[in-house]
Every structure is written in C-alpha cells, then in structure tokens.
C-alpha cells in the first residue's frame, strides 16, 4: 500500500454473523472505504480481502474516487467523516471505513 493516493470506494456490503460491524443487528451496510493504494484494481482487491476478513461480502460498488479530485456537489456534509477516514488510512496504512447499517436507516 502507498500513502500517496487514497481511493474512496462507496459500497454496499452484507454483514455476516461474525462481523464486528453487526453491532445493532444490521445485515447490510452502506459505507465509504478509504483505501491507501495507487492502483484501483489493487484497491478493490484489498477492500474485498478486508471485508472478507471481517465476515462481510461486497454486494455493490457505487463509485470509486481518488481523494485528489474534487468532491461531488452535496457532499460537504461528509467532509468531516471523509477527512477522518483518509487520515486514518494514511497514518495506519490500512483501509478505514465510515459505515451505516440497515437498522440505522
């Protein structure tokens, strides 16, 4: 992994019984993952491995965006969360996520 480029990957995933994300009984999550990796294909592979290690299954990828491009209109409310997961991913060299389970909807 590299800390030069971070991919923000917007996704939906199924949460397995043994997942740490299953705190409120949710079976699915929508989240944004910050993946410190230059190559998008490698970033997606690392994300898949990270999800699998936490008993989660990738269901859908909505968007992949590098952090060095402009944000989409209407995303200003996400800035604090995106900044935090990007700083965490960079500092630790690991994938960091902001998640919301289906029970929270």
């Amino acid at each position: 992994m590299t800390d030069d480029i971070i991919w923000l990957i917007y996704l939906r995933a199924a949460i397995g019984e043994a997942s740490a994300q299953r705190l409120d009984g949710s079976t699915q999550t929508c989240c944004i993952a910050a993946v410190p990796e230059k190559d998008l294909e490698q970033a997606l592979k690392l994300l898949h491995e990270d999800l699998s290690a936490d008993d989660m299954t990738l269901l859908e990828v909505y968007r992949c965006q590098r952090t060095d491009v402009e944000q989409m209109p209407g995303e200003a409310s996400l800035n604090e969360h995106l900044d935090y997961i990007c700083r965490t991913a960079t500092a630790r060299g690991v994938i960091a996520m902001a998640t919301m389970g289906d029970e929270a909807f």
Side-chain angles (χ1 to χ4, degrees):
M1 286 192 221
T2 178
D3 60 359
D4 296 334
I5 295 175
I6 295 178
W7 282 96
L8 294 175
I9 302 175
Y10 295 64
L11 64 111
R12 185 171 59 94
I15 303 172
E17 291 285 331
S19 175
Q21 297 294 321
R22 197 176 177 98
L23 299 174
D24 63 357
S26 294
T27 58
Q28 290 189 20
T29 184
C30 289
C31 67
I32 303 170
V35 184
E37 179 56 52
K38 186 186 305 186
D39 180 66
L40 177 57
E41 285 185 46
Q42 181 66 15
L44 290 167
K45 180 181 179 228
L46 291 170
L47 175 62
H48 187 271
E49 291 170 359
D50 192 69
L51 291 172
S52 294
D54 191 21
D55 194 27
M56 297 173 71
T57 304
L58 183 63
L59 299 175
E60 187 172 10
V61 172
Y62 296 104
R63 183 172 86 199
C64 300
Q65 176 179 319
R66 287 178 23 172
T67 56
D68 59 346
V69 298
E70 267 188 58
Q71 286 184 326
M72 297 289 289
E75 288 188 340
S77 62
L78 293 175
N79 279 345
E80 185 177 325
H81 297 294
L82 295 178
D83 288 345
Y84 176 76
I85 62 174
C86 288
R87 284 193 318 271
T88 302
T90 299
R92 297 182 184 166
V94 297
I95 296 170
M97 290 191 248
T99 65
M100 178 182 284
D102 59 351
E103 289 296 317
F105 296 125

